[in-house]
Structures are given as structure tokens and as C-alpha cells.
Amino acid sequence: LHPRRPNTRLFSPKITKMMKLAIAALLAGSAAAFAPASQKASSSALSMGFESELGAQPPLGLFDPLGMLADADQDRFDRLRYVELKHGRICQLAFLGNIITRAGVHLPGDIDYSGTSFDSIGNGWAAISGDNAIPSGGVLQIIAFIGFLEIGVMKDVTGEGEFPGDFRNGYIDFGWDSFSEETKLQKRAIELNNGRAAQMGILGLMVHEQLGGSIPLVGEM
């Protein structure tokens, strides 16, 4: 008999594929976000004036290493900005949810009628796959709810949006119309930068979850 070789693979094929898709999504969502301001205006993107758009901020400026803005018009830029904002918002929720549950904060009660408590659900990827995952019925409900939001809520339904990602639809305001134009730009820039940071943050958590160990503020992975 020959001794069985130890499994030296760090990630399973499923996890590896998931991480590759996540990295690709982050690159696609934020490739047009920022870059060295000294970069020469060698593409039509600069000639279109995108270097002055919100998000092309000091000290980096405009960044388009994949040429996604080459020969792009304003509609193309707005579409990419819309995607970047959406990715950023999703990642902010994902990162916040990750660190909150890892801190031991859970909803009270049970997630189903069989007595599966919310605090028994695993953290991170373990909440989707594994012995302590959310019941399949719950996962389907989450997917259905996200689909409903995507199709009918989280979009410019009325056509009144002032900028890409404006989903107020005439009834969600929170004092936005009372702000000056300078304040509006500042708040939009803050959201954009927070979204970019969250994209890198949740990707970092996904990687560290597979590596194991402990990281500050988050704890054991």
C-alpha cells in the first residue's frame, strides 16, 4: 500500500473560480476610476473631457488601463459609472454584514420553522455553503428579493435621476435638494470612494477567509 499524498491545494476549484470572478468584476467595475494625473492624453477618452469627471480625483486622476473609455461617448462613461456605483454599494453592504456577523451580532429568533437560529448560521462563505449555511429556501428567497429590487426598485424608474446611480425616483430625498451643488458633489465623491474601498475590502476578506488565521477588527477567519 502506498501512503495517500496530502492535499496541498490551498483552494478548492469552486472557491478559486469564485475568487477569479470576483477579481474580474472588481476590475471591470472600477477600471475607469483613477490613475496618475501625469498620464498623457493619448486616447479619445481624455479628449472627451472625462479627466474632469467625478472620481478622477487627486492624487491619481483618471485611470483607464484596459482602454474601456477609448472612443467612448458620455453614455458609455455613464454606464460604466453606474456599474461602478452599483458594485460599490453592494460591496459596502457585504463588507458591513461580514464584520457585523463576525462580531457576534445576529438577528434574534429562528430563520425557519425547524428551529434554525440566526446565530447558528456561519460567517462569510459558510453562510452559503456548508453545515451551518442558510437553508436552501432562505437562499432562494434572498435571490428572489434581490431580483425584485434589481428589476423594479434599484433603478431610475421615473427618469428623474440627476446622475448615474440616482434612484430617488421622486420620493426618496433625505434633504438632498437642500444641499448646494458643491455639497452634492462632495457627497457623491465620498460614496464613490467608499464603494471603491469596500470592493477591495470584501475581496480581502474573501481571500483571508480561505487563508485562515485572524485579522484586526474582524477576528478569526
Side-chain angles (χ1 to χ4, degrees):
L1 296 177
H2 297 282
R4 179 178 295 179
R5 295 180 61 186
N7 184 6
T8 58
R9 177 175 290 178
L10 183 60
F11 303 121
S12 68
K14 184 176 182 181
I15 295 298
T16 301
K17 183 178 180 181
M18 178 187 70
M19 293 174 63
K20 288 180 178 178
L21 290 174
I23 293 171
L26 291 177
L27 288 174
S30 57
F34 44 87
S38 61
Q39 184 178 4
K40 293 183 179 180
S42 58
S43 72
S44 59
L46 295 182
S47 65
M48 287 292 293
F50 296 135
E51 73 277 7
S52 62
E53 289 281 354
L54 184 71
Q57 301 165 182
L60 297 176
L62 182 70
F63 186 40
D64 185 26
L66 301 181
M68 300 180 72
L69 291 177
D71 301 320
D73 56 13
Q74 189 64 46
D75 288 340
R76 170 66 174 168
F77 179 88
D78 289 345
R79 172 60 184 171
L80 292 173
R81 174 51 48 82
Y82 170 86
V83 172
E84 180 185 17
L85 278 169
K86 177 176 286 188
H87 287 172
R89 290 168 177 173
I90 292 171
C91 289
Q92 288 179 73
L93 291 173
F95 185 86
L96 183 62
N98 213 306
I99 62 174
I100 286 178
T101 55
R102 290 185 185 279
V105 180
H106 302 274
L107 292 173
D110 300 331
I111 196 173
D112 59 17
Y113 291 118
S114 64
T116 305
S117 62
F118 282 102
D119 59 9
S120 70
I121 302 299
N123 297 317
W125 183 248
I128 302 297
S129 176
D131 296 335
N132 298 321
I134 299 172
S136 58
V139 174
L140 291 176
Q141 290 178 52
I142 292 173
I143 294 174
F145 181 63
I146 293 173
F148 166 74
L149 293 178
E150 181 74 14
I151 294 173
V153 179
M154 303 307 292
K155 58 191 298 185
D156 184 12
V157 178
T158 63
E160 300 177 87
E162 296 179 5
F163 49 84
D166 182 1
F167 300 154
R168 290 176 295 157
N169 291 314
Y171 65 93
I172 301 177
D173 185 75
F174 298 113
W176 179 260
D177 288 333
S178 65
F179 298 145
S180 66
E181 291 302 316
E182 182 180 0
T183 301
K184 288 181 179 180
L185 284 175
Q186 181 186 34
K187 290 185 176 297
R188 288 175 59 198
I190 290 172
E191 181 192 22
L192 193 60
N193 284 336
N194 285 348
R196 290 168 176 173
Q199 290 178 67
M200 302 307 298
I202 192 62
L203 179 60
L205 287 180
M206 291 167 61
V207 171
H208 279 285
E209 183 177 22
Q210 303 308 314
L211 295 176
S214 178
I215 57 177
L217 300 180
V218 180
E220 288 295 327
M221 302 297 289

